[in-house]
Amino acid sequence: MTSNLIVTLGDAPLSRADVVAVARHNATVEISAAALERVAASRAVIDELASDTRPHYGVSTGFGALAKVQIPVEKRQQLQRSLIRSHAAGTGTEVDREVVRALMLLRLQTLTTGRTGVRPVVAETYAAILNAGITPVVHEYGSLGCSGDLSPLAHCALTLMGEGNVRVSEDPHAAPIDAASALAAAGISPVVLAEKEGLALINGTDGMLGMLCLALTDLERLFTVADLAAAASVEALTGTDAVFQAELHALRPHLGQGVSAANMAAVLADSQLVQRPREGEFSRVQDAYSLRCAPQVHGAARDTAAHAERVAAVELGSAIDNPVVLPDGRVESNGNFHGAPIGYVLDFLAIAVADLASISERRTDRFLDVARNHGLPPFLAADAGLDSGLMIAQYTAAGIVSELKRLAVPASVDSIPSSAMQEDHVSMGWAAALKLRRAIDGLSRVLSIELLTSTRALDFRAADGAGAPAPATAAVHALFRTEIPAPETDTFLSPTIDAAHGFVVSGQVLAAADRALGGGLV
């Protein structure tokens, strides 16, 4: 359950790599001594307000639309328990372990800023739960993304109190157990929450930010896979690589476009299959948009992710809570918990992902049509008519793309008022993040089918003696053939698609291409 990695909280903002290390690789979390001092100092401010006769939101009042209700001192512990129990109202499918761990880490990061007013024991116990590999059961439905991810965070706070259900195994098929038993087995004492602490544990955008960090990490790899897949399709369709010259892309100097074009040019540099102008010979002047414009589309997706990365960096250095304890001791209400900044980029990424998959599927489709595949057999079938080849693999890709287009509909433009109209505009960022995760999975499968198709096309090009493929695409072809034999007749196709997908998501495809090129793909 543990790794050798250590992520220290409190001395500097977290990085995206820190989030991934804890969420996916079980890195150990430590809180710096300076952070614990800040936490204790801000708690002293809350303790002073707790004895004040004036009402203070979250300390001596109810919450949301009930903020005008003052709570007697003897009922304030119950106030905190009631807040967490009532807000732990999720339902539906459980979210993935890595999402919950990312969410918890980011909430803990805010606690260690000293801006929330919790006691040090709250932060220390939260860290202990993470380090013990105890994962609260959190559900897909429940968050409106304002005031932050209230319900998902409340399920995590419930664990801190020794209530609710958790998982203690990375096996998704293992049954959850009750939190009290899990804490006891790990030697962790449940926390009895004091004034303000319940609110501090749930008032954050941590779930949507965690999913943004995980998505950006996955897309970083898939953007390069998309460039490789597009180049492989250009080659196997005997297209031209002239359009990927750096001089052409310097005329429209979007950073992402230049990177994608350079990747594609590098992959195709030594190919004998692509069409190149020769003196006295007629060669293909230009290819279809799905081939020729790949750098422009892929590059726009890269630039979209770069914008999302900047938003994530700001959020990773932020303290999200309401109210907050300012450095001068003032306790002020605010609206920083609103998820709009994150929700917008999550939706923007879903649009880019859908378009990447769409252009990939169009390249796949060209291989299967004798009117457009430049001499390949129908549907890349070994015996066309008797066999259907990869006909239905393209159906699968098309079905995924159709769903990704639906998932690209922005969640952040929707808002359903809640809390008796106190929370009358919400971000829906949690929903945007969940649909982006599904979209990224779909993209990885569509790209896998494109690579499966181009590698099959290379078999036919080799049989025709058309020339040697580029080293990078030859390496990918060889990798695929380790588990996916070139079929002599139709075989059960689903395991073949799954094997191709495994090569993509495991990083083996990029590793093979990179080795062949001696590095250089970005």
Side-chain angles (χ1 to χ4, degrees), residues 42-139:
S42 68
R43 181 62 204 180
V45 174
I46 297 299
D47 286 339
E48 186 174 337
L49 293 181
S51 59
D52 195 341
T53 57
R54 292 174 299 169
H56 297 281
Y57 179 67
V59 177
S60 55
T61 72
F63 309 103
L66 301 175
K68 296 179 181 179
V69 180
Q70 188 155 4
I71 309 299
V73 172
E74 65 273 13
K75 292 186 177 181
R76 290 179 188 170
Q77 284 187 353
Q78 179 60 42
L79 172 69
Q80 303 302 315
R81 286 194 296 271
S82 294
L83 175 70
I84 301 304
R85 289 169 178 167
S86 65
H87 283 54
T91 190
T93 305
E94 289 181 40
V95 298
D96 294 332
R97 179 178 186 271
E98 66 176 28
V99 171
V100 181
R101 287 182 61 81
L103 175 153
M104 293 179 70
L105 173 69
L106 293 166
R107 182 68 335 216
L108 181 57
Q109 163 75 352
T110 284
L111 298 181
T112 62
T113 63
R115 303 277 73 84
T116 70
V118 301
R119 293 166 294 161
V121 67
V122 173
E124 290 172 317
T125 305
Y126 213 80
I129 291 170
L130 263 173
N131 290 336
I134 297 170
T135 307
V137 171
V138 174
H139 304 274

XYZ file of all heavy atoms in Angstrom, residues 42-139:
742
model
N -3.922 29.613 13.735
C -5.252 29.975 13.244
C -6.336 29.365 14.121
O -7.420 29.946 14.296
C -5.434 29.539 11.788
O -5.472 28.137 11.671
N -6.038 28.212 14.729
C -7.025 27.611 15.628
C -7.245 28.483 16.853
O -8.378 28.582 17.363
C -6.571 26.206 16.064
C -7.590 25.533 16.988
C -8.922 25.329 16.281
N -10.056 25.224 17.185
C -11.306 25.045 16.795
N -11.602 24.990 15.504
N -12.283 24.959 17.672
N -6.194 29.125 17.313
C -6.323 30.015 18.472
C -7.314 31.143 18.189
O -8.072 31.566 19.071
C -4.958 30.577 18.855
N -7.335 31.602 16.942
C -8.289 32.648 16.554
C -9.708 32.112 16.654
O -10.615 32.787 17.180
C -7.991 33.128 15.115
C -9.075 34.115 14.656
C -6.614 33.763 15.031
N -9.944 30.895 16.175
C -11.284 30.301 16.226
C -11.711 30.056 17.672
O -12.885 30.287 18.048
C -11.322 28.999 15.423
C -11.028 29.279 13.945
C -12.665 28.296 15.573
C -12.007 30.210 13.271
N -10.797 29.590 18.506
C -11.129 29.349 19.917
C -11.585 30.633 20.592
O -12.513 30.619 21.427
C -9.912 28.773 20.648
C -9.666 27.312 20.288
O -10.614 26.653 19.825
O -8.514 26.845 20.458
N -10.971 31.726 20.215
C -11.366 33.008 20.810
C -12.764 33.412 20.341
O -13.584 33.895 21.132
C -10.344 34.085 20.422
C -10.587 35.427 21.117
C -9.477 36.423 20.836
O -8.352 35.996 20.508
O -9.742 37.633 20.959
N -13.048 33.199 19.054
C -14.371 33.550 18.539
C -15.461 32.658 19.118
O -16.618 33.069 19.246
C -14.383 33.420 17.010
C -13.521 34.406 16.212
C -13.666 34.138 14.730
C -13.895 35.845 16.534
N -15.097 31.420 19.462
C -16.093 30.474 19.966
C -16.736 30.947 21.259
O -17.879 30.594 21.562
C -15.445 29.108 20.166
N -16.002 31.753 22.020
C -16.539 32.250 23.287
C -17.146 33.647 23.159
O -17.603 34.228 24.152
C -15.424 32.269 24.348
O -14.348 33.089 23.926
N -17.140 34.172 21.931
C -17.685 35.505 21.682
C -19.217 35.446 21.694
O -19.811 34.473 21.231
C -17.182 36.005 20.327
C -17.393 37.501 20.129
O -18.213 38.089 20.842
O -16.725 38.071 19.251
N -19.855 36.484 22.197
C -21.327 36.521 22.218
C -21.905 36.868 20.850
O -23.080 36.614 20.593
C -21.820 37.560 23.243
O -21.254 38.840 22.919
C -21.413 37.143 24.648
N -21.072 37.441 19.974
C -21.554 37.752 18.624
C -21.545 36.495 17.757
O -20.691 35.629 17.939
C -20.658 38.820 17.977
C -20.751 40.194 18.632
C -19.728 41.126 18.008
N -18.355 40.624 18.217
C -17.276 41.113 17.604
N -17.407 42.086 16.712
N -16.076 40.616 17.869
N -22.471 36.375 16.805
C -22.492 35.183 15.938
C -21.344 35.215 14.920
O -21.005 36.282 14.380
C -23.845 35.287 15.238
C -24.176 36.751 15.235
C -23.605 37.306 16.511
N -20.749 34.066 14.682
C -19.698 33.943 13.673
C -20.014 32.714 12.826
O -20.162 31.607 13.364
C -18.316 33.802 14.327
C -17.915 35.003 15.119
N -17.414 36.150 14.534
C -17.963 35.241 16.463
C -17.151 37.055 15.484
N -17.484 36.514 16.661
N -20.106 32.924 11.525
C -20.522 31.862 10.611
C -19.598 30.655 10.715
O -18.376 30.766 10.649
C -20.546 32.362 9.167
C -20.947 31.282 8.181
C -22.234 30.764 8.202
C -20.036 30.772 7.259
C -22.614 29.759 7.320
C -20.405 29.769 6.371
C -21.694 29.273 6.416
O -22.062 28.269 5.553
N -20.209 29.483 10.846
C -19.446 28.250 10.901
C -18.863 27.943 12.260
O -18.390 26.835 12.499
N -18.857 28.938 13.129
C -18.315 28.755 14.482
C -19.464 28.623 15.478
O -19.532 27.671 16.252
C -17.388 29.919 14.873
C -16.876 29.761 16.310
C -16.214 30.027 13.892
N -20.384 29.571 15.419
C -21.493 29.568 16.366
C -22.848 29.706 15.675
O -23.842 30.026 16.319
C -21.310 30.702 17.377
O -21.162 31.957 16.718
N -22.880 29.475 14.353
C -24.142 29.561 13.612
C -24.352 28.298 12.794
O -23.443 27.484 12.609
C -24.146 30.762 12.637
O -23.274 30.474 11.534
C -23.713 32.037 13.325
N -25.562 28.198 12.247
C -25.834 27.140 11.284
C -25.170 27.457 9.955
O -24.377 28.408 9.837
N -25.527 26.687 8.908
C -24.806 26.787 7.644
C -25.752 27.088 6.493
O -26.939 26.793 6.546
C -24.075 25.464 7.364
C -23.231 25.003 8.524
C -23.671 23.977 9.345
C -22.012 25.606 8.792
C -22.899 23.551 10.418
C -21.237 25.190 9.864
C -21.679 24.165 10.679
N -25.178 27.687 5.444
C -25.959 27.968 4.253
C -27.124 28.884 4.556
O -26.970 29.955 5.155
N -28.321 28.451 4.179
C -29.511 29.255 4.425
C -29.857 29.339 5.910
O -30.694 30.157 6.310
C -30.693 28.668 3.655
N -29.202 28.510 6.747
C -29.441 28.514 8.199
C -28.371 29.307 8.946
O -28.194 29.150 10.154
C -29.491 27.069 8.716
C -30.567 26.192 8.073
C -30.449 24.762 8.578
C -31.952 26.741 8.354
N -27.655 30.169 8.239
C -26.553 30.910 8.847
C -27.026 31.911 9.905
O -26.219 32.379 10.717
C -25.767 31.648 7.761
N -28.318 32.245 9.917
C -28.825 33.206 10.907
C -29.189 32.555 12.232
O -29.568 33.229 13.175
C -30.033 33.945 10.334
C -29.710 34.811 9.109
C -30.954 35.494 8.569
C -30.634 36.336 7.341
N -31.848 37.000 6.788
N -29.103 31.225 12.279
C -29.448 30.502 13.505
C -28.206 30.390 14.390
O -27.202 29.800 13.994
C -29.987 29.096 13.186
C -30.334 28.362 14.477
C -31.212 29.196 12.277
N -28.269 30.974 15.607
C -27.135 30.880 16.512
C -27.241 29.599 17.347
O -28.309 29.231 17.836
C -27.059 32.095 17.441
C -25.777 32.122 18.268
C -25.392 33.532 18.699
O -26.123 34.480 18.448
N -24.241 33.669 19.336
N -26.108 28.904 17.500
C -26.070 27.603 18.152
C -25.448 27.737 19.538
O -24.351 28.289 19.672
C -25.255 26.593 17.317
C -25.738 26.579 15.856
C -25.304 25.209 17.939
C -27.178 26.181 15.672
N -26.117 27.246 20.589
C -25.549 27.307 21.944
C -24.238 26.526 22.029
O -24.019 25.554 21.300
C -26.627 26.650 22.823
C -27.862 26.654 22.002
C -27.457 26.618 20.580
N -23.368 26.927 22.953
C -22.046 26.325 23.101
C -22.144 24.818 23.286
O -21.404 24.042 22.675
C -21.288 26.964 24.285
C -19.990 26.214 24.570
C -21.025 28.429 24.002
N -23.073 24.374 24.116
C -23.150 22.952 24.446
C -23.611 22.093 23.264
O -23.524 20.859 23.313
C -24.092 22.733 25.636
C -25.554 23.075 25.401
C -25.881 24.545 25.656
O -24.926 25.362 25.788
O -27.076 24.884 25.715
N -24.079 22.708 22.174
C -24.556 21.941 21.030
C -23.640 22.049 19.809
O -23.953 21.526 18.740
C -25.968 22.388 20.642
C -27.030 22.044 21.679
C -28.415 22.377 21.178
C -29.480 21.965 22.196
N -30.853 22.271 21.707
N -22.487 22.677 19.980
C -21.659 22.955 18.803
C -20.915 21.728 18.290
O -20.641 21.621 17.097
C -20.705 24.108 19.090
C -21.458 25.435 19.193
C -20.567 26.598 19.508
N -21.368 27.791 19.778
C -20.879 28.915 20.274
N -19.577 29.000 20.572
N -21.667 29.953 20.497
N -20.569 20.800 19.163
C -19.978 19.554 18.658
C -21.011 18.775 17.842
O -20.703 18.216 16.793
C -19.453 18.700 19.822
C -18.148 19.202 20.411
C -17.578 18.246 21.447
O -18.213 17.254 21.825
N -16.370 18.543 21.921
N -22.233 18.785 18.341
C -23.308 18.131 17.596
C -23.550 18.844 16.267
O -23.859 18.194 15.261
C -24.592 18.128 18.426
C -25.794 17.483 17.731
C -25.533 16.020 17.380
O -24.970 15.276 18.177
N -25.927 15.619 16.177
N -23.393 20.162 16.249
C -23.532 20.932 15.020
C -22.569 20.407 13.946
O -22.955 20.203 12.795
C -23.262 22.414 15.290
C -23.192 23.338 14.070
C -24.565 23.495 13.434
C -22.635 24.709 14.475
N -21.318 20.179 14.357
C -20.321 19.695 13.400
C -20.651 18.275 12.929
O -20.554 17.962 11.744
C -18.922 19.728 14.033
C -18.491 21.094 14.544
C -18.501 22.159 13.461
O -18.040 21.946 12.350
N -19.056 23.322 13.783
N -21.037 17.404 13.850
C -21.402 16.036 13.462
C -22.596 16.037 12.519
O -22.628 15.305 11.525
C -21.711 15.195 14.702
C -20.489 14.790 15.517
C -20.834 13.693 16.507
N -21.793 14.128 17.520
C -21.452 14.682 18.677
N -20.163 14.891 18.978
N -22.369 15.042 19.563
N -23.583 16.849 12.841
C -24.783 16.913 12.005
C -24.459 17.426 10.606
O -25.020 16.948 9.602
C -25.836 17.811 12.664
O -26.305 17.243 13.868
N -23.568 18.393 10.543
C -23.163 18.930 9.241
C -22.579 17.820 8.367
O -22.975 17.644 7.210
C -22.121 20.038 9.431
C -21.517 20.599 8.134
C -22.544 21.413 7.377
C -20.279 21.450 8.435
N -21.640 17.063 8.915
C -20.974 16.023 8.128
C -21.949 14.912 7.769
O -22.014 14.468 6.611
C -19.763 15.456 8.888
C -18.749 16.563 9.195
C -19.116 14.317 8.108
C -18.270 17.333 7.993
N -22.731 14.449 8.724
C -23.661 13.344 8.454
C -24.695 13.731 7.404
O -25.008 12.943 6.504
C -24.356 12.931 9.747
C -23.438 12.225 10.741
C -24.106 12.092 12.084
N -23.280 11.381 13.065
C -23.525 11.341 14.361
N -24.592 11.978 14.861
N -22.718 10.670 15.169
N -25.207 14.924 7.502
C -26.260 15.345 6.571
C -25.708 15.612 5.176
O -26.407 15.421 4.166
C -26.961 16.601 7.089
O -26.065 17.703 7.132
N -24.453 16.064 5.107
C -23.880 16.380 3.809
C -23.286 15.154 3.117
O -23.005 15.203 1.912
C -22.814 17.471 3.954
C -23.389 18.845 4.132
N -24.302 19.148 5.112
C -23.184 20.002 3.452
C -24.625 20.419 5.032
N -23.968 20.965 4.023
N -23.064 14.075 3.855
C -22.581 12.829 3.248
C -23.771 12.131 2.599
O -24.247 11.091 3.047
C -21.923 11.946 4.302
N -24.257 12.722 1.526
C -25.520 12.316 0.903
C -25.322 11.785 -0.500
O -26.237 11.833 -1.329
C -26.474 13.520 0.876
N -24.124 11.263 -0.799
C -23.859 10.760 -2.135
C -24.623 9.489 -2.446
O -25.035 8.752 -1.553
N -24.786 9.235 -3.722
C -25.433 8.006 -4.165
C -24.872 7.630 -5.529
O -24.160 8.415 -6.168
C -26.965 8.170 -4.228
O -27.578 6.902 -4.448
C -27.381 9.147 -5.314
N -25.188 6.425 -5.969
C -24.712 5.985 -7.274
C -23.404 5.223 -7.192
O -22.949 4.821 -6.116
N -22.779 5.048 -8.334
C -21.530 4.295 -8.448
C -20.422 4.943 -7.635
O -20.330 6.166 -7.553
C -21.104 4.224 -9.931
O -22.175 3.670 -10.693
C -19.855 3.382 -10.106
N -19.580 4.118 -7.040
C -18.418 4.653 -6.326
C -17.430 5.251 -7.327
O -17.227 4.718 -8.416
C -17.699 3.553 -5.552
C -18.453 3.041 -4.341
C -17.668 1.967 -3.609
O -16.433 2.117 -3.481
O -18.281 0.975 -3.179
N -16.793 6.350 -6.931
C -15.727 6.896 -7.759
C -14.439 6.129 -7.483
O -14.294 5.460 -6.460
C -15.531 8.407 -7.528
C -16.777 9.171 -7.898
C -15.124 8.699 -6.093
N -13.506 6.229 -8.401
C -12.270 5.465 -8.304
C -11.436 5.881 -7.098
O -11.457 7.039 -6.667
C -11.437 5.656 -9.568
C -12.099 5.062 -10.795
O -12.867 4.102 -10.635
O -11.855 5.576 -11.903
N -10.678 4.927 -6.609
C -9.800 5.147 -5.460
C -8.876 6.345 -5.680
O -8.676 7.164 -4.787
C -8.977 3.874 -5.216
C -7.989 3.948 -4.054
C -7.284 2.605 -3.894
N -6.431 2.590 -2.708
C -5.152 2.973 -2.707
N -4.575 3.397 -3.828
N -4.436 2.933 -1.589
N -8.309 6.454 -6.871
C -7.360 7.539 -7.120
C -8.032 8.909 -7.019
O -7.396 9.887 -6.611
C -6.685 7.373 -8.475
C -7.594 7.496 -9.678
C -6.845 7.405 -10.996
O -5.775 6.760 -11.055
O -7.320 7.995 -11.976
N -9.298 8.985 -7.371
C -10.023 10.254 -7.270
C -10.190 10.645 -5.801
O -9.981 11.794 -5.416
C -11.392 10.160 -7.964
C -12.237 11.396 -7.687
C -11.206 9.963 -9.465
N -10.569 9.679 -4.966
C -10.763 9.961 -3.542
C -9.448 10.366 -2.888
O -9.394 11.310 -2.087
C -11.378 8.741 -2.832
C -11.606 9.045 -1.353
C -12.689 8.339 -3.489
N -8.369 9.679 -3.226
C -7.078 10.014 -2.641
C -6.611 11.400 -3.077
O -6.056 12.169 -2.282
C -6.031 8.952 -3.000
C -6.244 7.638 -2.245
C -5.174 6.621 -2.566
N -3.836 7.073 -2.190
C -3.329 7.018 -0.963
N -4.064 6.534 0.041
N -2.107 7.437 -0.725
N -6.847 11.748 -4.329
C -6.487 13.096 -4.796
C -7.305 14.146 -4.063
O -6.774 15.181 -3.621
C -6.708 13.191 -6.303
N -8.591 13.889 -3.938
C -9.491 14.804 -3.227
C -9.018 15.017 -1.782
O -8.944 16.153 -1.291
C -10.897 14.221 -3.280
C -12.050 14.873 -2.525
C -13.358 14.546 -3.224
C -12.145 14.370 -1.098
N -8.687 13.924 -1.103
C -8.255 14.026 0.296
C -6.937 14.783 0.433
O -6.768 15.625 1.329
C -8.129 12.628 0.901
C -9.442 11.886 1.054
S -9.236 10.240 1.753
C -8.780 10.644 3.448
N -6.007 14.504 -0.461
C -4.720 15.208 -0.409
C -4.915 16.710 -0.568
O -4.314 17.508 0.171
C -3.801 14.690 -1.515
C -2.481 15.457 -1.666
C -1.566 15.209 -0.476
C -1.785 15.093 -2.975
N -5.741 17.106 -1.505
C -5.932 18.531 -1.763
C -6.677 19.226 -0.627
O -6.401 20.380 -0.309
C -6.657 18.718 -3.093
C -5.810 18.283 -4.301
C -6.664 18.168 -5.557
C -4.655 19.251 -4.519
N -7.608 18.522 0.019
C -8.256 19.106 1.192
C -7.246 19.267 2.325
O -7.206 20.290 3.003
C -9.423 18.206 1.635
C -10.214 18.712 2.827
C -11.054 19.974 2.643
N -10.710 20.932 1.630
C -10.850 22.248 1.768
N -11.304 22.779 2.895
N -10.564 23.054 0.783
N -6.397 18.264 2.490
C -5.369 18.341 3.526
C -4.399 19.483 3.243
O -3.959 20.182 4.167
C -4.617 17.005 3.590
C -3.511 16.898 4.641
C -4.039 17.166 6.043
C -2.856 15.515 4.572
N -4.077 19.694 1.967
C -3.196 20.807 1.609
C -3.787 22.136 2.079
O -3.079 22.982 2.632
C -2.977 20.818 0.098
C -2.420 22.116 -0.489
C -0.947 22.332 -0.210
O -0.329 21.589 0.552
N -0.386 23.360 -0.805
N -5.085 22.320 1.872
C -5.717 23.557 2.341
C -5.705 23.640 3.861
O -5.462 24.708 4.436
C -7.151 23.661 1.792
O -7.094 24.035 0.413
C -7.955 24.723 2.541
N -5.955 22.527 4.530
C -5.910 22.547 6.002
C -4.552 22.998 6.511
O -4.455 23.703 7.524
C -6.243 21.160 6.555
C -7.638 20.580 6.257
C -7.780 19.216 6.913
C -8.739 21.519 6.706
N -3.476 22.598 5.814
C -2.125 22.932 6.286
C -1.702 24.355 5.959
O -0.624 24.786 6.381
C -1.086 21.958 5.690
O -1.073 22.064 4.269
C -1.378 20.524 6.106
N -2.543 25.101 5.228
C -2.199 26.503 4.973
C -2.382 27.372 6.208
O -1.881 28.495 6.251
C -3.065 27.085 3.837
O -4.450 27.069 4.239
C -2.887 26.311 2.547
N -3.123 26.890 7.199
C -3.401 27.705 8.366
C -4.473 28.742 8.131
O -4.615 29.683 8.914
N -5.252 28.575 7.095
C -6.315 29.536 6.779
C -7.696 29.010 7.144
O -8.685 29.702 6.941
C -6.289 29.889 5.278
C -4.955 30.450 4.767
C -4.802 31.940 5.032
N -4.567 32.255 6.425
C -3.387 32.244 7.044
N -2.313 31.891 6.383
N -3.268 32.586 8.316
N -7.790 27.769 7.659
C -9.106 27.170 7.880
C -9.537 27.137 9.344
O -10.719 26.957 9.622
C -9.145 25.732 7.349
O -8.336 24.894 8.176
C -8.654 25.667 5.909
N -8.608 27.221 10.271
C -8.957 27.237 11.686
C -9.163 25.893 12.336
O -9.700 25.815 13.445
N -8.737 24.805 11.702
C -8.857 23.505 12.355
C -7.706 23.299 13.333
O -6.678 23.974 13.264
C -8.848 22.349 11.326
C -9.991 22.501 10.338
C -7.511 22.267 10.593
N -7.864 22.340 14.235
C -6.783 21.979 15.149
C -5.741 21.122 14.425
O -6.068 20.428 13.463
C -7.334 21.201 16.344
C -8.229 21.993 17.286
C -8.975 21.048 18.214
N -9.908 20.209 17.468
C -10.422 19.072 17.921
N -10.073 18.607 19.116
N -11.268 18.384 17.188
N -4.488 21.139 14.876
C -3.472 20.285 14.260
C -3.870 18.814 14.214
O -3.549 18.117 13.252
C -2.240 20.511 15.144
C -2.415 21.899 15.672
C -3.897 22.056 15.886
N -4.594 18.330 15.235
C -4.949 16.917 15.275
C -5.837 16.523 14.094
O -5.793 15.380 13.619
C -5.635 16.551 16.612
C -7.014 17.222 16.737
C -5.763 15.042 16.758
N -6.620 17.463 13.601
C -7.474 17.169 12.445
C -6.615 16.899 11.212
O -6.804 15.908 10.499
C -8.462 18.326 12.186
C -9.242 18.099 10.892
C -9.421 18.476 13.361
N -5.655 17.789 10.951
C -4.770 17.613 9.804
C -3.925 16.352 9.951
O -3.747 15.577 8.996
C -3.877 18.837 9.630
N -3.414 16.117 11.130
C -2.552 14.947 11.351
C -3.324 13.639 11.191
O -2.809 12.660 10.624
C -1.924 15.039 12.745
C -0.892 16.148 12.869
C -0.418 16.362 14.294
O -1.269 16.361 15.211
O 0.801 16.516 14.490
N -4.551 13.611 11.649
C -5.361 12.393 11.509
C -5.749 12.172 10.055
O -5.749 11.030 9.558
C -6.612 12.477 12.399
O -6.213 12.726 13.746
C -7.411 11.193 12.343
N -6.057 13.222 9.352
C -6.391 13.123 7.924
C -5.207 12.526 7.157
O -5.373 11.646 6.311
C -6.732 14.514 7.401
C -7.779 14.565 6.306
C -9.132 14.491 6.599
C -7.409 14.721 4.978
C -10.092 14.567 5.601
C -8.357 14.798 3.970
C -9.703 14.717 4.291
O -10.652 14.790 3.291
N -4.000 13.010 7.483
C -2.791 12.480 6.839
C -2.598 11.006 7.184
O -2.215 10.195 6.327
C -1.575 13.298 7.257
N -2.860 10.652 8.432
C -2.693 9.253 8.860
C -3.635 8.328 8.106
O -3.270 7.196 7.740
C -2.925 9.140 10.364
N -4.849 8.786 7.848
C -5.820 7.978 7.099
C -5.320 7.741 5.672
O -5.377 6.623 5.150
C -7.200 8.663 7.115
C -7.789 8.630 8.527
C -8.150 8.004 6.119
C -9.033 9.479 8.702
N -4.818 8.797 5.036
C -4.252 8.653 3.696
C -3.096 7.658 3.695
O -3.015 6.760 2.846
C -3.755 10.011 3.192
C -4.671 10.834 2.291
C -4.064 12.201 2.044
C -4.905 10.123 0.966
N -2.188 7.822 4.648
C -0.992 6.982 4.688
C -1.312 5.523 5.015
O -0.556 4.619 4.646
C 0.012 7.542 5.693
C 0.638 8.841 5.209
O 0.685 9.108 4.007
N 1.117 9.652 6.130
N -2.413 5.304 5.710
C -2.819 3.930 6.035
C -3.521 3.243 4.868
O -3.851 2.061 4.950
C -3.730 3.936 7.259
N -3.742 3.979 3.773
C -4.422 3.387 2.619
C -5.903 3.195 2.827
O -6.529 2.364 2.159
N -6.477 3.946 3.750
C -7.921 3.876 4.005
C -8.614 4.858 3.066
O -8.312 6.061 3.082
C -8.239 4.217 5.471
C -7.592 3.187 6.399
C -9.744 4.290 5.702
C -7.648 3.557 7.866
N -9.531 4.343 2.255
C -10.179 5.181 1.247
C -11.679 5.248 1.499
O -12.376 4.232 1.368
C -9.934 4.625 -0.166
O -8.532 4.450 -0.367
C -10.488 5.560 -1.217
N -12.198 6.402 1.874
C -13.647 6.534 2.079
C -14.430 6.179 0.813
O -13.961 6.403 -0.310
C -13.823 8.015 2.423
C -12.482 8.446 2.945
C -11.478 7.645 2.181
N -15.595 5.602 0.992
C -16.486 5.333 -0.129
C -17.171 6.640 -0.517
O -17.882 7.251 0.284
C -17.527 4.264 0.239
C -18.586 4.141 -0.865
C -16.848 2.913 0.471
N -16.921 7.090 -1.737
C -17.480 8.332 -2.266
C -18.239 7.987 -3.549
O -17.781 7.158 -4.345
C -16.368 9.360 -2.559
C -16.933 10.601 -3.238
C -15.638 9.737 -1.271
N -19.368 8.625 -3.746
C -20.252 8.279 -4.864
C -20.222 9.342 -5.964
O -19.868 10.496 -5.726
C -21.675 8.100 -4.358
C -21.797 7.079 -3.272
N -21.954 5.734 -3.537
C -21.754 7.198 -1.913
C -22.012 5.069 -2.388
N -21.897 5.934 -1.398
